[in-house]
């Protein structure tokens, strides 16, 4: 397992220049002010640079054409602004677009653009791989690579937004941390990345959702932030024993304590909680589980997403039958809980969590990375 890298550094290079997207907007402004002052440049240059970065999604200083060439070169010497290489872009017949990014050290990370009605949601990754080892998840089976840095998270947003612009598509309206990795196990990078997306790129906090498998300290940290970021809990079972079979982390952060932490999150005011429930045939879709799920969701005012299991290479499990999914939906509805059945998106391009990377690893390395240990300390 790779050593944890600094949230601001790159996992691979010794480049001393700070990446501008790894700085909080206030910090970035300050650093640019110092830089421009040291070069005897007028202060409006700072606004020009931030405008290029957050508004025009610039990926190189060369693009900043209203700055003198000497200033662009000086910026290049002082800071980084680049982005990972695009390894693959896959387009699904249903409009879903999946990017696989290749980090400078070769790690592969994916993000997915999902159009639905008047929304265009970007699903981004917080880690290369994941150490949580959930039994139904392709990323879990692929094992842990390393933490992503702040800029590696934020550039997924910037590159996706640019790709949409270049392809004449509508802009991103929502961001969910539901790609590879457990965002609340990489809080050092995810917290600043949330700030950069919100304050820098101007994406409303209520349009950003962090999905967690249940890292309680992370839920508490998110609850005390003043912004109203949404939280999705990957529940997958309303009973502890079954949940522990699907999610090793359940043993460390058991369901009753998790629900207590969610109550605190809800009481922090005005925040959305969603339950994710991946429905696996004859595993977690017994009819008697539905009222228990409904009760937990009702108590927290949570919205429930019922997601038919997307089969993965190392598992012979199947998605629940439609009548079972409908039974869950109806039970939730009758209990006054809002719920939606999420049709699998982008199946033809392996857009389920971790699948494109899993396939690419097989192609590149001949086999997936060895599975991570099941005990995770966060
Ligand atoms: N680690 C975080 C976020 C990434 S996983 C979390 O677990 O919440 C994003 C979502 O995809 C989770 O709800 C996860 O349970 C779901 N998921 C993973 N593998 C899946 C599969 N094979 N089929 C359907 N959903 C899956
Ligand atoms: Fe990690 Fe989430 Fe997959 Fe579990 S479901 S292994 S926490 S990415």
């Amino acid at each position: 397992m790779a050593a944890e890298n600094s949230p601001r550094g790159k996992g691979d290079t010794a480049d001393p220049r700070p990446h501008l997207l790894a700085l909080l907007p206030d910090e970035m402004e300050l650093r640019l002010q110092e830089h421009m002052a040291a070069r005897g440049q007028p202060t409006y240059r700072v606004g020009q640079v931030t405008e290029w970065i957050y508004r025009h999604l610039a990926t190189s200083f060369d693009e900043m054409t209203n700055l003198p060439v000497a200033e662009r070169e000086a910026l290049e010497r002082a800071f980084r602004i680049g982005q990972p290489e695009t390894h693959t872009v896959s387009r699904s017949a249903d409009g879903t677009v999946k990017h696989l990014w290749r980090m400078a050290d070769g790690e592969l990370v994916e993000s997915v653009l999902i159009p639905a009605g008047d929304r265009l949601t970007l699903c981004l990754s917080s880690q290369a791989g994941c150490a949580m080892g959930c039994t139904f998840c392709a990323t879990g089976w692929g094992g842990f690579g390393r933490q992503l840095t702040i800029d590696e998270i934020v550039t997924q947003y910037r590159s996706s937004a640019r790709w949409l612009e270049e392809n004449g598509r509508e802009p991103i309206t929502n961001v969910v941390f539901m790609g590879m990795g457990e965002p609340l196990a990489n809080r050092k990078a995810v917290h600043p990345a949330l700030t950069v997306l919100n304050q820098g790129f101007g994406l409303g906090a209520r349009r950003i959702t962090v999905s967690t498998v249940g890292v309680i300290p992370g839920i508490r940290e998110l609850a005390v932030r003043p912004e109203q970021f949404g939280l999705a809990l990957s529940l997958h079972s309303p009973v502890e024993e079954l949940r522990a079979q699907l999610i090793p982390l359940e043993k460390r952060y058991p369901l009753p304590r998790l629900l207590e932490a969610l109550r605190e999150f809800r009481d922090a005011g005005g925040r959305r909680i969603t339950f994710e429930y991946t429905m696996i045939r004859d595993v977690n879709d017994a009819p008697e589980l539905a009222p228990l799920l409904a009760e937990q969701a009702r108590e927290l005012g949570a919205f429930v997403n019922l997601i038919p299991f997307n089969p993965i290479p190392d598992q012979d499990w199947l998605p629940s039958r439609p009548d079972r999914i409908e039974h869950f939906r109806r039970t939730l509805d009758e209990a006054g809980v809002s719920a939606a059945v999420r049709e699998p998106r982008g199946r033809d391009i392996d857009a389920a969590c971790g699948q494109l990377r899993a396939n690419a690893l097989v192609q590149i390395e001949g086999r997936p990375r060895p599975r991570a240990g099941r005990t995770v300390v966060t």
Side-chain angles (χ1 to χ4, degrees):
M1 190 182 288
E4 189 173 319
N5 52 305
S6 138
R8 289 194 171 165
K10 264 195 171 157
D12 56 308
T13 63
D15 194 330
R17 297 172 301 162
H19 197 293
L20 287 179
L21 289 187
L23 302 177
L24 299 181
D26 288 353
E27 285 177 332
M28 184 175 92
E29 204 170 316
L30 203 65
R31 297 291 288 270
L32 288 169
Q33 270 165 11
E34 287 165 2
H35 171 87
M36 292 301 177
R39 293 188 53 79
Q41 287 293 307
T43 43
Y44 68 78
R45 293 263 181 253
V46 174
Q48 287 177 316
V49 177
T50 52
E51 177 101 355
W52 277 107
I53 289 172
Y54 294 136
R55 280 280 203 81
H56 304 306
L57 311 171
T59 55
S60 78
F61 295 109
D62 283 347
E63 289 172 50
M64 303 184 180
T65 45
N66 54 355
L67 268 76
V69 173
E71 291 316 311
R72 290 183 236 161
E73 288 170 357
L75 283 165
E76 177 72 36
R77 285 192 298 275
F79 304 106
R80 287 186 295 131
I81 191 187
Q83 62 182 60
E85 235 176 77
T86 307
H87 177 280
T88 326
V89 187
S90 320
R91 299 175 191 228
S92 164
D94 68 13
T96 303
V97 177
K98 183 149 188 160
H99 280 94
L100 188 64
W101 311 107
R102 192 185 166 83
M103 303 293 139
D105 62 351
E107 282 290 351
L108 296 172
V109 167
E110 59 200 34
S111 65
V112 189
L113 288 160
I114 308 162
D118 54 2
R119 284 186 176 197
L120 182 66
T121 301
L122 170 68
C123 172
L124 49 74
S125 296
S126 54
Q127 300 178 313
C130 185
M132 296 293 169
C134 302
T135 48
F136 52 87
C137 171
T139 307
W141 282 102
F144 182 69
R146 65 169 170 84
Q147 303 285 27
L148 294 187
T149 58
I150 305 163
D151 51 288
E152 285 171 337
I153 296 172
V154 176
T155 50
Q156 293 172 59
Y157 172 85
R158 183 184 63 181
S159 309
S160 303
R162 258 184 95 114
W163 185 91
L164 288 166
E165 232 174 61
E166 284 161 15
N167 286 273
R169 299 268 301 262
E170 65 276 37
I172 293 165
T173 60
N174 296 71
V175 166
V176 292
F177 282 74
M178 287 189 190
M180 290 160 48
E182 167 50 50
L184 297 185
N186 185 14
R187 306 200 286 282
K188 274 192 212 153
V190 167
H191 276 297
L194 288 169
T195 308
V196 174
L197 292 174
N198 178 226
Q199 289 175 16
F201 289 97
L203 200 67
R206 296 171 74 92
R207 291 175 176 271
I208 304 176
T209 300
V210 176
S211 178
T212 181
V213 76
V215 180
I216 291 178
I219 295 173
R220 296 224 161 96
E221 280 179 22
L222 214 52
V224 297
R225 283 193 63 144
E227 309 96 327
Q228 299 194 327
F229 297 115
L231 182 69
L233 175 74
S234 292
L235 186 68
H236 309 314
S237 165
V239 289
E240 288 175 68
E241 300 74 28
L242 175 58
R243 194 167 187 270
Q245 286 167 30
L246 302 171
I247 302 169
L249 195 72
E250 167 67 24
K251 295 193 190 76
R252 185 173 164 88
Y253 298 124
L255 200 49
R257 283 177 51 206
L258 193 51
L259 295 173
E260 184 53 42
L262 288 180
R263 259 173 241 129
E264 283 172 30
F265 184 86
R266 178 204 54 195
D267 294 344
R271 286 152 206 254
R272 282 180 311 105
I273 298 177
T274 308
F275 281 170
E276 305 286 309
Y277 200 103
T278 295
M279 297 200 62
I280 312 168
R281 189 182 303 180
D282 301 331
V283 173
N284 66 348
D285 63 355
E288 57 271 25
L289 295 175
L292 301 176
L293 167 63
E295 180 49 29
Q296 288 171 359
R298 201 191 48 74
E299 213 254 302
L300 284 162
F303 186 95
V304 179
N305 277 325
L306 299 171
I307 310 156
F309 171 69
N310 207 350
I312 59 169
D314 300 276
Q315 267 287 359
D316 51 12
W317 284 342
L318 295 168
S320 298
R321 292 198 164 82
D323 61 329
R324 258 323 147 74
I325 299 176
E326 179 52 24
H327 173 80
F328 268 61
R329 201 201 54 75
R330 219 177 27 244
T331 308
L332 291 166
D333 190 54
E334 283 163 9
V337 173
S338 305
V341 178
R342 297 290 173 204
E343 288 312 319
R345 300 296 304 267
R347 258 206 182 150
D348 51 337
I349 55 165
D350 288 337
C353 180
Q355 289 199 2
L356 188 64
R357 173 176 172 276
N359 290 346
L361 279 176
V362 171
Q363 281 160 26
I364 293 164
E365 298 174 357
R367 61 188 164 79
R369 206 194 297 275
R371 193 161 167 74
R374 292 250 177 147
T375 12
V376 181
V377 180
T378 54

